[in-house]
Amino acid sequence: FARANNVAAEWATGEYLLLLNPDTVILNGAVDRLVEFARSRPEAGIWGGRTVFADGRLNPSSCWRRMSVWNLACRAFGFSTLMPNSGVFHAEAYGGWARDTVRMVDIVSGCFFLITTRLWRGLNGFDPAFFMYGEEADLCQRARRLGARPHVTPDAEIVHYGGASETVREDKVSRLLRAKALLILRHMPRGCVGLSLLMLAMWPLSRSLAGRARGGEDARADVWSQVWARRREWLLNGAGS
């Protein structure tokens, strides 16, 4: 995914690059509105909008806060699952914020992502070490070091179907955790890397144990158990990148 976007971006000649997932529907001129927002806040460098599911419910995956030891611990111990609307215990997802105000964020999701072509090329696009997942998080954090301040606006809204299903596949989760391991190694303060990787590794273990505690056949618990069993693979692959 990251390499393919880099190749496509080589053909771009405009002032901006827009990344837009195929599983999206543009609502009410959202692209034009996002460009207008970008022109009103040029200092941001990266801009995003608001995403909803097909039924109009908020899809919170339009933006994220960068990982921290606290955020990872909240996932590892299940606090973010138990309190999804808490800005403290689900801080990585900006829990409790309906994405209904303009706000500076750490990471704009690649599903609806506007960036100046100049900044994109100054960063050499996505890091190809991120095969899929994490590439926009890495790019936003590198961009912030150059002075960018990513922003999102509720005035540019799209339907994003991704994430609507509760089905969790082992390979998908393993790729996601591999990307998170790589982000930890690239962007976490050195003194926090070891503890962060430990919290990351505990996440699938806690999800698996919670599923088993509920009793019965839980397909998602099986998936998390398999991901936990493969922890050396995705942790070492992340480190190897």
Side-chain angles (χ1 to χ4, degrees):
F1 178 82
R3 289 180 184 273
N5 275 282
N6 288 346
V7 170
E10 290 292 329
W11 294 85
T13 59
E15 181 180 357
Y16 299 102
L17 281 170
L18 175 70
L19 305 184
L20 183 67
N21 271 25
D23 59 341
T24 57
V25 177
I26 299 299
L27 302 175
N28 303 319
V31 173
D32 290 338
R33 291 185 177 195
L34 188 59
V35 172
E36 290 174 6
F37 179 62
R39 295 196 187 284
S40 72
R41 293 180 180 255
E43 72 282 358
I46 296 171
W47 306 266
R50 187 175 190 268
T51 57
V52 297
F53 292 121
D55 61 4
R57 289 180 300 115
L58 174 69
N59 182 338
S61 64
S62 60
C63 56
W64 303 92
R65 185 175 273 117
R66 63 183 179 273
M67 281 190 294
S68 68
V69 174
W70 171 252
N71 294 340
L72 288 162
C74 286
R75 283 194 180 274
F77 294 106
F79 300 148
S80 57
T81 300
L82 293 171
M83 294 172 278
N85 294 320
S86 169
V88 174
F89 293 103
H90 203 192
E92 187 178 358
Y94 293 102
W97 173 42
R99 277 60 170 171
D100 53 357
T101 56
V102 169
R103 185 167 176 172
M104 183 170 67
V105 298
D106 290 337
I107 298 160
V108 173
S109 171
C111 71
F112 190 35
F113 181 102
L114 187 71
I115 183 173
T116 64
T117 305
R118 180 178 181 180
L119 179 58
W120 172 275
R121 291 181 175 152
L123 295 165
N124 294 316
F126 286 143
D127 185 335
F130 293 88
F131 175 77
M132 183 178 288
Y133 302 119
E135 63 284 327
E136 75 270 63
D138 169 74
L139 186 137
C140 284
Q141 290 182 78
R142 288 189 286 124
R144 289 180 68 87
R145 295 189 191 117
L146 297 181
R149 293 295 180 264
H151 274 68
V152 296
T153 175
D155 295 331
E157 186 172 85
I158 67 168
V159 174
H160 181 210
Y161 293 99
S165 170
E166 292 186 356
T167 301
V168 182
R169 295 190 303 273
E170 177 189 354
D171 57 344
K172 176 181 177 180
V173 176
S174 294
R175 286 196 300 269
L176 173 63
L177 293 177
R178 174 195 175 276
K180 285 184 173 293
L182 182 53
L183 286 169
I184 288 170
L185 291 165
R186 294 283 178 87
H187 298 289
M188 196 69 77
R190 182 170 297 180
C192 298
V193 168
L195 182 56
S196 297
L197 290 174
L198 176 61
M199 292 296 102
L200 182 66
M202 287 182 63
W203 179 20
L205 175 61
S206 66
R207 292 293 298 270
S208 174
L209 293 175
R212 298 303 176 198
R214 287 192 292 267
E217 294 296 326
D218 190 323
R220 285 175 296 176
D222 286 338
V223 167
W224 286 106
S225 295
Q226 293 164 14
V227 172
W228 165 251
R230 293 173 54 185
R231 62 192 179 280
R232 288 181 59 84
E233 176 186 329
W234 46 263
L235 280 172
L236 290 175
N237 281 346
S241 300

